[in-house]
Amino acid sequence: MGTFIGHISPGLAFFSFGVLYAFKFSLMVLRGEEIQLVSHSRPPGLRSCLKRIPAEGVMKIVYGTLAVMAEFFYPPGVYKLIIYNKEKPDYPFIHPNEWQHVTMYSYFALSGWMDIISQACLPRRLFLLENIAITLAFYIEALLLYSHMHGKERVENSVHTLLLLACFLVCLILTVEIWRPNDHVLWFTKTCLVMTQGTWLLHAAFILYRPFTGKPWKSDDMANLMFVTNFFCWHVALNIILVLAIFSLTALWHRRRGLAFQEVKRQVSFHLKSADGRGLPSEYSKLQAEEEETRLLQECDP
Amino acid sequence: MGTFIGHISPGLAFFSFGVLYAFKFSLMVLRGEEIQLVSHSRPPGLRSCLKRIPAEGVMKIVYGTLAVMAEFFYPPGVYKLIIYNKEKPDYPFIHPNEWQHVTMYSYFALSGWMDIISQACLPRRLFLLENIAITLAFYIEALLLYSHMHGKERVENSVHTLLLLACFLVCLILTVEIWRPNDHVLWFTKTCLVMTQGTWLLHAAFILYRPFTGKPWKSDDMANLMFVTNFFCWHVALNIILVLAIFSLTALWHRRRGLAFQEVKRQVSFHLKSADGRGLPSEYSKLQAEEEETRLLQECDP
Amino acid sequence: MGTFIGHISPGLAFFSFGVLYAFKFSLMVLRGEEIQLVSHSRPPGLRSCLKRIPAEGVMKIVYGTLAVMAEFFYPPGVYKLIIYNKEKPDYPFIHPNEWQHVTMYSYFALSGWMDIISQACLPRRLFLLENIAITLAFYIEALLLYSHMHGKERVENSVHTLLLLACFLVCLILTVEIWRPNDHVLWFTKTCLVMTQGTWLLHAAFILYRPFTGKPWKSDDMANLMFVTNFFCWHVALNIILVLAIFSLTALWHRRRGLAFQEVKRQVSFHLKSADGRGLPSEYSKLQAEEEETRLLQECDP
Amino acid sequence: MGTFIGHISPGLAFFSFGVLYAFKFSLMVLRGEEIQLVSHSRPPGLRSCLKRIPAEGVMKIVYGTLAVMAEFFYPPGVYKLIIYNKEKPDYPFIHPNEWQHVTMYSYFALSGWMDIISQACLPRRLFLLENIAITLAFYIEALLLYSHMHGKERVENSVHTLLLLACFLVCLILTVEIWRPNDHVLWFTKTCLVMTQGTWLLHAAFILYRPFTGKPWKSDDMANLMFVTNFFCWHVALNIILVLAIFSLTALWHRRRGLAFQEVKRQVSFHLKSADGRGLPSEYSKLQAEEEETRLLQECDP
């Protein structure tokens, strides 16, 4: 939707994904985890399958499907699920913006389904498949953004060109990640760019539909075009700072968790000793202590 | 030919190649086969040479030569094998579209000849040579498509730009494949893109010459340009689904073949036992059984 | 600042960085040193921290901050730290050039802070972080240069396009250096390009504001545009020769230093012998000699 | 020079380099030779230095210097070694085409000097340096070609765009060769592209200055632009066939030389035997035979 809310909602979606990525990749770096393109086999069964459904995939599907619905049926009473206008004599196409948005959102929803199928349903997780699906979604977004700009005002085009730039860089990074999935620099560059796409869409909504000064940006004023790029550069800086903040927070939390873990260990060894002291057979007490340790650790790190 | 049939026929050609690739690469993945840039030497002789002639090469030559003929002499009575119009005073060039098409088709036909020479005639298969020939054909196609767009309507240009995009991506992938010929992601991306080129050419024929609504697409309507990109994105999705379907079918067939193979083995071992049981010398019966097994397997997997 | 001095000052800054790089990388090649992405831990403490502050980082901060100040408050009496012109009815943006320059300079200053944090403050030097910061600064410069060209004269655009070309190539090289930090070809290409950016900005100041012939370059004269490119090509050659000269000088100095070093060693061994001759316990004299050698070497190679 | 001869002469130069490369790389492939970025040290002395002067380097210098002279002083009586026209009031630049050509040719001449310095004068051959010099020459050519096209007719621009395409691809290949100097595919692609540049310049001279039909190509006829691309595609095919022919010829010559070599060996061993038969001490005869063998081989393979 070429409206205020039509730019705010995808902006929030991209931003939330960026934040999710920032936490996820920070934790992976701190724990020294790596992505495996084809992982080990997993226990079958519907229950363990449902347990494995990833938040990211569900988010993509919910966001994508809601956005598709909104394009066609929002605000209530509207019905745009038609391509041809049959009332006019030469059957012109109508709602081109809506159909382009729907196509975009559908690809992201599809990528969500692929995440769920790969992470929950298949006997082995095929990370490669998930990666290709999300890469494709961003490429389609880039292609549609590019053709989205025909016949628009210069300020609007400038805003969308910068969005396209961020989107295209994400495409490039995702393409490289198909072959190098464990590069930390790529992880965080991707995160920053997705977050920038989000905050930039939020800002774009205000530039195009609710300018802060209350006056619409004139397209023939060169200063406007130059400030658009300028603002985008500030968004980049802001999002980098945000990612650094999230990484620091996660590192702090991770260290605390590490300390809590050591505390648990200390207590367990104390129990062990006292149990030993109470004259129980040491063999038994050790087994018991290990069980207790396992339980405590599970409580602490679910 | 800038006609309906002139877009339908190369569309079908590209699509059939895409389908052929889909089956070929699915089988290669399932069997764990790999391409060797320079293979082992082969038995000489005209007969074994003729046996080795590849279907792909013959298809390229037949399609290419027919298309060249059609450009010059179709519909019957037409004769376009001339470059200069000698009747006009300043000898202007004529039939530029036809000559560009002919150049394109000739390169694909040449790639077919190179396939046959490398796979059938040379003492060793030079996969590298075949790869370079087909890569060159796609680069020439891209270059000609690019210069094909001078002085055309916007809708036609938009359609051809998207075709050029698919073609150029195929070029890039083929270039990378010269050095990494066994990358599965590249195999299937290439397959999808070639199929998309095919189905898009089929669709383009209808958009440009037989629109479904019966009214020609107006070039000054921005909605038309936006829907062209939209349709292309749907073609990509459709072709990906088609490739997945072909892979699943091949996997099913491959598993059945595997089961049939095991069945053959079981029968053979049964024969062996019964032969043993009939009191024949076990040495003799084993040899016979092995021969029989080989024969059965050859029947089953020609 | 779109003034003579506003092009001379960043020109000098880039040129001085180029010269610094030329000396630094020449020495590193001659000494066989390599960059380590994550180095060993260092002694803590404020004093050793202050000692480690790198000249390059301080230069970046000083240049960047001065440039930002100059944009807003130079010439004295000027105050440009405002974005909106509140006196006009529709609040138009003002000073777009100044704000773009400020953004550019801030990123370079930030890269300087990152250098200092990484090289002096952190327990380990994170070369990767420094590299990303400077890469980002050049990418932002490229983006702003690109949008800087809206609505300017052709000669000015031509000059800035060539600057953008040099800047973009630096971006590409820096990006590759994130993964290959020790490639000598990349080191010196980067050095040449940064120096070319510098000398080209100096030349640009004269072309745009003080042409040598005293007459402004006309934008509608095609010969002017062709000579702009021509001059740029000569700058490239000049800077390559300059880099070669700096390398040769450094090599000469390095060899002399090497000879001086051997001289020191010779003297030390002479002292050692004479000390031995004086009848001192050889164990003691050796220790003393080693201390002396260390002291002499430190004097010679601080 | 924007004249017939000004396009024929660089065309011949590029073509002759292409042919030289074709022979050189064919021989290297057949002999299994490899390029070493930094080779072993060589005997010093002026005489051995002069012996090592490479034909390629001399060719570059001679061609380059002659072309520079021709730009300034050809046809006789012309003197174009001036930049400013001091007779007009605003000192406009003159001879922009000539100065661009001179810049281009100078870089190629410089690359020739670098070849000679590296291959003949330095204590070790620095292949890297030669490679960088020629790469730079082609990049400068591309940059100047790009800016060469301002304000020209469409047919002329189309011709130069295709030349730029070939030149830019050579740049890319040379850049990759800095890190992968021994890739056979790159060797022959480069050869073909350099030859295509040559034959295309020859053809361009006729298109622009002496059209075969005797009538100049009209710039507003779209068919002309399409045929320009078409002809370029045919040049590519022709040059590939030429390279294949040169490779086959070299292979034939190489095999003959191999047979001659074996013949020499057979004769030598015959001499050896007969010498042995003549009752000479076998120790002496062996030495003599080895000397003779060496002499014969040197005659056969200078």
Side-chain angles (χ1 to χ4, degrees):
Chain A
M1 293 170 290
T3 60
F4 180 70
I5 201 71
H7 283 74
I8 288 289
S9 53
L12 283 175
F14 277 117
F15 185 68
S16 58
F17 271 104
V19 171
L20 187 78
Y21 281 169
F23 278 112
K24 183 173 125 187
F25 291 128
S26 299
L27 259 180
M28 286 180 75
V29 167
L30 292 165
R31 284 183 183 157
E33 285 176 11
E34 296 229 322
I35 288 167
Q36 284 169 302
L37 286 184
V38 177
S39 64
H40 299 294
S41 64
R42 294 168 304 195
L46 189 65
R47 246 181 113 179
S48 73
C49 168
L50 286 175
K51 253 192 201 163
R52 285 194 301 260
I53 285 177
E56 207 182 314
V58 174
M59 270 166 76
K60 279 179 196 167
I61 294 170
V62 170
Y63 283 180
T65 314
L66 280 181
V68 165
M69 292 295 116
E71 288 291 336
F72 286 140
F73 311 116
Y74 184 87
V78 156
Y79 183 79
K80 293 180 172 170
L81 194 51
I82 40 171
I83 291 189
Y84 290 101
N85 185 351
K86 291 189 179 167
E87 289 165 14
K88 289 202 181 165
D90 54 350
Y91 297 143
F93 284 114
I94 46 172
H95 309 310
N97 282 307
E98 281 74 11
W99 279 99
Q100 288 206 343
H101 289 143
V102 162
T103 307
M104 243 181 257
Y105 295 137
S106 307
Y107 268 97
F108 279 101
L110 267 173
S111 153
W113 283 113
M114 208 57 110
D115 284 6
I116 291 180
I117 289 172
S118 155
Q119 287 182 41
C121 309
L122 289 182
R124 289 157 185 276
R125 178 175 178 184
L126 289 172
F127 183 78
L128 196 59
L129 226 64
E130 297 170 41
N131 217 341
I132 289 171
I134 188 67
T135 308
L136 185 68
F138 273 101
Y139 269 111
I140 294 289
E141 195 204 328
L143 184 58
L144 287 173
L145 267 176
Y146 180 75
S147 98
H148 214 59
M149 291 188 287
H150 295 310
K152 298 221 165 119
E153 297 269 339
R154 287 189 73 180
V155 166
E156 196 168 353
N157 271 358
S158 211
V159 167
H160 279 99
T161 305
L162 291 164
L163 191 64
L164 176 57
L165 177 71
C167 176
F168 186 66
L169 290 175
V170 173
C171 289
L172 285 188
I173 292 176
L174 284 168
T175 308
V176 175
E177 280 197 329
I178 289 175
W179 289 276
R180 293 181 66 135
N182 285 307
D183 194 301
H184 293 187
V185 176
L186 292 183
W187 283 356
F188 286 101
T189 314
K190 184 176 69 178
T191 303
C192 272
L193 284 167
V194 170
M195 277 168 75
T196 305
Q197 260 193 285
T199 59
W200 185 242
L201 267 167
L202 295 178
H203 197 160
F206 284 97
I207 289 176
L208 299 175
Y209 304 103
R210 295 196 194 165
F212 292 114
T213 56
K215 330 261 171 175
W217 290 42
K218 284 187 193 158
S219 258
D220 53 347
D221 185 358
M222 215 46 70
N224 284 340
L225 295 180
M226 288 173 81
F227 264 103
V228 165
T229 318
N230 224 355
F231 286 147
F232 185 79
C233 292
W234 299 354
H235 273 264
V236 172
L238 274 175
N239 283 297
I240 288 172
I241 291 167
L242 201 53
V243 168
L244 285 177
I246 290 176
F247 184 82
S248 310
L249 269 177
T250 319
L252 225 90
W253 176 84
H254 185 256
R255 181 177 288 179
R256 275 210 182 168
R257 170 60 55 96
L259 293 177
F261 184 86
Q262 285 178 356
E263 175 65 14
V264 167
K265 266 203 149 168
R266 209 184 48 76
Q267 281 184 18
V268 167
S269 74
F270 176 79
H271 280 296
L272 193 71
K273 273 179 197 158
S274 59
D276 218 44
R278 277 198 302 273
L280 287 161
S282 68
E283 197 65 4
Y284 168 74
S285 67
K286 258 183 200 162
L287 275 170
Q288 205 186 30
E290 271 165 18
E291 264 173 30
E292 202 170 351
E293 188 176 340
T294 314
R295 194 179 47 76
L296 277 163
L297 287 175
Q298 275 175 349
E299 262 173 32
C300 171
D301 191 58
Chain B
M1 294 168 290
T3 60
F4 181 69
I5 201 73
H7 283 74
I8 287 289
S9 52
L12 284 174
F14 277 118
F15 184 68
S16 59
F17 270 104
V19 171
L20 187 77
Y21 280 170
F23 279 112
K24 183 174 125 188
F25 290 128
S26 298
L27 259 181
M28 286 180 75
V29 167
L30 291 164
R31 284 183 183 157
E33 285 176 11
E34 297 229 323
I35 288 166
Q36 283 169 301
L37 286 184
V38 178
S39 64
H40 300 293
S41 64
R42 294 166 306 194
L46 188 66
R47 247 181 113 179
S48 73
C49 169
L50 287 174
K51 251 191 202 165
R52 285 193 302 258
I53 285 178
E56 208 183 314
V58 174
M59 269 166 75
K60 280 179 196 166
I61 293 169
V62 171
Y63 283 180
T65 313
L66 279 181
V68 165
M69 292 294 117
E71 288 291 336
F72 286 140
F73 310 117
Y74 184 88
V78 156
Y79 183 79
K80 294 180 172 171
L81 195 51
I82 41 171
I83 291 189
Y84 290 102
N85 185 354
K86 293 190 179 167
E87 289 165 15
K88 288 202 182 164
D90 55 348
Y91 297 142
F93 284 115
I94 45 171
H95 310 311
N97 282 306
E98 281 74 12
W99 279 98
Q100 287 206 343
H101 289 143
V102 161
T103 307
M104 241 182 259
Y105 295 137
S106 307
Y107 269 96
F108 279 101
L110 268 173
S111 153
W113 283 112
M114 208 57 110
D115 285 5
I116 291 179
I117 289 171
S118 155
Q119 287 182 43
C121 309
L122 289 181
R124 288 158 186 275
R125 179 176 178 182
L126 290 172
F127 183 78
L128 196 60
L129 226 65
E130 298 170 39
N131 217 341
I132 289 171
I134 188 69
T135 309
L136 185 69
F138 274 100
Y139 269 111
I140 293 290
E141 194 204 329
L143 184 58
L144 287 173
L145 267 176
Y146 180 76
S147 98
H148 214 58
M149 290 187 290
H150 295 311
K152 298 217 166 124
E153 297 269 337
R154 289 189 72 179
V155 166
E156 195 167 353
N157 271 357
S158 210
V159 166
H160 280 98
T161 306
L162 290 164
L163 191 64
L164 176 57
L165 177 70
C167 176
F168 185 67
L169 290 175
V170 172
C171 289
L172 285 188
I173 292 176
L174 285 168
T175 308
V176 175
E177 280 196 329
I178 289 175
W179 288 275
R180 293 180 66 133
N182 286 307
D183 194 300
H184 293 186
V185 176
L186 292 183
W187 283 355
F188 287 101
T189 313
K190 184 175 70 178
T191 303
C192 272
L193 284 166
V194 170
M195 277 168 75
T196 305
Q197 259 192 286
T199 60
W200 184 243
L201 268 166
L202 294 178
H203 198 161
F206 284 98
I207 289 177
L208 298 176
Y209 304 102
R210 294 195 193 165
F212 292 114
T213 57
K215 330 263 172 171
W217 290 42
K218 284 186 194 160
S219 258
D220 53 348
D221 186 358
M222 215 47 69
N224 285 340
L225 295 181
M226 290 174 78
F227 263 103
V228 165
T229 319
N230 223 356
F231 287 148
F232 184 79
C233 292
W234 298 354
H235 274 263
V236 172
L238 274 174
N239 283 297
I240 288 172
I241 291 167
L242 201 54
V243 168
L244 285 177
I246 291 177
F247 184 82
S248 310
L249 269 177
T250 319
L252 225 91
W253 177 84
H254 184 255
R255 181 178 289 179
R256 274 212 181 166
R257 169 61 54 94
L259 292 177
F261 185 86
Q262 285 177 357
E263 175 65 15
V264 166
K265 265 203 151 170
R266 208 184 48 75
Q267 282 184 19
V268 166
S269 75
F270 175 79
H271 280 297
L272 193 71
K273 273 180 198 158
S274 60
D276 219 45
R278 277 199 301 271
L280 287 161
S282 69
E283 197 66 3
Y284 168 75
S285 69
K286 260 183 198 161
L287 276 170
Q288 205 187 30
E290 272 165 18
E291 263 173 33
E292 201 170 352
E293 188 177 338
T294 314
R295 193 179 49 76
L296 277 162
L297 287 175
Q298 275 175 350
E299 262 174 31
C300 170
D301 191 59
Chain C
M1 293 169 289
T3 60
F4 180 70
I5 200 73
H7 283 74
I8 288 289
S9 54
L12 284 174
F14 278 118
F15 185 69
S16 59
F17 270 103
V19 171
L20 187 77
Y21 281 169
F23 278 113
K24 182 173 125 188
F25 290 128
S26 298
L27 259 181
M28 286 180 75
V29 167
L30 292 164
R31 285 182 182 158
E33 285 175 12
E34 297 229 322
I35 287 166
Q36 283 169 304
L37 287 185
V38 178
S39 64
H40 299 293
S41 64
R42 294 167 305 194
L46 188 66
R47 245 180 116 179
S48 73
C49 169
L50 287 174
K51 251 190 203 165
R52 284 193 303 258
I53 285 178
E56 207 183 313
V58 174
M59 269 166 77
K60 280 179 195 166
I61 293 170
V62 171
Y63 282 1
T65 313
L66 279 181
V68 166
M69 291 296 116
E71 288 290 336
F72 285 139
F73 310 116
Y74 184 87
V78 156
Y79 183 78
K80 293 181 172 171
L81 194 51
I82 40 170
I83 292 189
Y84 290 101
N85 186 351
K86 292 189 178 167
E87 289 164 15
K88 288 203 182 165
D90 55 349
Y91 298 143
F93 284 115
I94 44 172
H95 308 311
N97 282 306
E98 282 74 12
W99 278 99
Q100 288 206 342
H101 289 143
V102 161
T103 307
M104 242 182 260
Y105 295 137
S106 308
Y107 269 96
F108 279 101
L110 267 173
S111 153
W113 283 113
M114 207 56 110
D115 284 6
I116 291 180
I117 288 171
S118 155
Q119 287 181 43
C121 309
L122 288 181
R124 288 159 186 275
R125 178 174 179 186
L126 290 171
F127 183 78
L128 196 60
L129 226 64
E130 298 170 40
N131 217 341
I132 289 171
I134 187 69
T135 309
L136 186 68
F138 273 101
Y139 269 111
I140 294 289
E141 194 204 330
L143 185 57
L144 287 173
L145 267 176
Y146 181 77
S147 99
H148 213 58
M149 291 187 288
H150 294 311
K152 299 218 166 121
E153 297 270 338
R154 289 189 72 179
V155 165
E156 195 169 353
N157 271 358
S158 209
V159 167
H160 280 98
T161 306
L162 290 165
L163 191 64
L164 176 57
L165 177 71
C167 175
F168 185 67
L169 290 176
V170 172
C171 289
L172 285 188
I173 291 175
L174 285 168
T175 308
V176 175
E177 279 196 328
I178 290 175
W179 288 276
R180 295 181 64 135
N182 286 307
D183 195 300
H184 294 186
V185 176
L186 292 183
W187 283 356
F188 286 102
T189 314
K190 185 175 68 179
T191 303
C192 273
L193 284 167
V194 170
M195 278 168 75
T196 305
Q197 260 193 285
T199 59
W200 184 243
L201 268 167
L202 294 178
H203 197 161
F206 284 97
I207 289 176
L208 298 175
Y209 304 102
R210 295 196 193 165
F212 293 114
T213 57
K215 328 263 172 174
W217 291 42
K218 285 186 193 161
S219 258
D220 53 348
D221 185 358
M222 214 47 68
N224 285 341
L225 296 180
M226 289 174 79
F227 263 102
V228 166
T229 319
N230 223 356
F231 287 148
F232 185 78
C233 293
W234 298 354
H235 274 263
V236 172
L238 274 175
N239 283 297
I240 288 172
I241 291 166
L242 201 53
V243 168
L244 285 177
I246 290 177
F247 184 83
S248 311
L249 270 177
T250 318
L252 227 90
W253 177 84
H254 185 256
R255 181 177 289 178
R256 275 211 181 166
R257 169 62 51 97
L259 294 177
F261 183 86
Q262 285 177 357
E263 176 64 17
V264 167
K265 267 205 149 167
R266 210 185 46 77
Q267 281 183 18
V268 167
S269 76
F270 176 80
H271 280 295
L272 193 70
K273 273 179 197 156
S274 59
D276 219 45
R278 279 200 301 272
L280 286 160
S282 68
E283 197 66 3
Y284 169 73
S285 68
K286 259 183 200 163
L287 276 170
Q288 204 187 31
E290 272 166 18
E291 263 172 32
E292 200 169 352
E293 187 176 340
T294 314
R295 192 180 48 77
L296 277 163
L297 287 176
Q298 275 174 350
E299 262 172 31
C300 171
D301 191 57
Chain D
M1 294 168 288
T3 60
F4 180 71
I5 201 73
H7 282 74
I8 288 289
S9 54
L12 284 174
F14 278 118
F15 185 69
S16 59
F17 271 104
V19 171
L20 188 77
Y21 281 169
F23 279 113
K24 182 174 126 189
F25 291 128
S26 299
L27 259 181
M28 286 180 76
V29 167
L30 292 164
R31 285 182 182 159
E33 284 175 13
E34 296 229 322
I35 287 166
Q36 282 168 304
L37 287 184
V38 178
S39 64
H40 300 292
S41 64
R42 293 166 305 193
L46 188 65
R47 244 180 116 182
S48 73
C49 169
L50 286 174
K51 251 191 201 165
R52 285 193 302 259
I53 285 177
E56 209 182 312
V58 174
M59 269 166 75
K60 280 179 195 167
I61 293 170
V62 171
Y63 282 0
T65 313
L66 279 182
V68 165
M69 292 296 116
E71 288 291 335
F72 285 140
F73 310 115
Y74 185 88
V78 156
Y79 182 78
K80 293 181 173 172
L81 194 51
I82 40 172
I83 292 189
Y84 290 101
N85 185 352
K86 292 188 179 170
E87 289 165 15
K88 288 202 181 164
D90 55 349
Y91 297 142
F93 284 115
I94 45 172
H95 309 311
N97 282 306
E98 281 74 10
W99 279 99
Q100 287 207 343
H101 289 144
V102 162
T103 307
M104 240 182 261
Y105 295 137
S106 307
Y107 269 96
F108 279 101
L110 267 173
S111 153
W113 283 112
M114 207 57 109
D115 284 6
I116 290 179
I117 289 171
S118 155
Q119 287 182 42
C121 309
L122 289 181
R124 287 156 187 277
R125 179 176 178 183
L126 290 172
F127 183 78
L128 196 59
L129 226 64
E130 298 170 41
N131 217 341
I132 289 171
I134 187 69
T135 309
L136 185 68
F138 273 101
Y139 269 110
I140 293 290
E141 194 204 330
L143 184 58
L144 287 173
L145 266 176
Y146 180 77
S147 98
H148 213 59
M149 290 187 288
H150 295 310
K152 297 216 167 124
E153 297 270 338
R154 288 189 73 178
V155 166
E156 195 168 354
N157 271 358
S158 210
V159 166
H160 280 98
T161 305
L162 290 164
L163 192 63
L164 176 57
L165 177 71
C167 176
F168 185 67
L169 290 175
V170 172
C171 289
L172 285 188
I173 291 176
L174 284 168
T175 309
V176 175
E177 279 195 329
I178 290 175
W179 289 276
R180 293 181 66 134
N182 286 307
D183 195 299
H184 294 186
V185 176
L186 292 183
W187 283 356
F188 287 101
T189 314
K190 185 175 69 178
T191 303
C192 272
L193 284 166
V194 170
M195 277 167 76
T196 305
Q197 260 194 284
T199 60
W200 184 242
L201 268 167
L202 295 178
H203 198 160
F206 284 97
I207 289 176
L208 299 176
Y209 304 102
R210 294 195 193 165
F212 293 114
T213 56
K215 330 263 170 171
W217 290 42
K218 284 186 193 160
S219 257
D220 52 348
D221 185 357
M222 214 46 69
N224 285 340
L225 295 181
M226 289 174 78
F227 264 102
V228 166
T229 318
N230 223 355
F231 286 148
F232 184 78
C233 292
W234 298 353
H235 274 263
V236 172
L238 274 174
N239 284 298
I240 288 172
I241 292 167
L242 201 53
V243 168
L244 285 177
I246 290 177
F247 183 82
S248 310
L249 270 176
T250 319
L252 226 91
W253 176 84
H254 184 255
R255 180 177 289 178
R256 275 213 182 163
R257 169 61 53 96
L259 292 177
F261 183 87
Q262 285 178 357
E263 175 66 15
V264 166
K265 266 205 149 167
R266 209 183 49 75
Q267 282 183 17
V268 167
S269 74
F270 177 79
H271 279 296
L272 192 70
K273 273 179 198 157
S274 60
D276 218 44
R278 277 199 302 270
L280 287 161
S282 68
E283 197 65 5
Y284 168 74
S285 68
K286 259 184 199 162
L287 276 170
Q288 204 186 32
E290 271 166 19
E291 263 171 32
E292 200 169 354
E293 188 176 339
T294 314
R295 193 178 49 74
L296 277 163
L297 287 176
Q298 276 175 349
E299 261 173 32
C300 170
D301 191 58

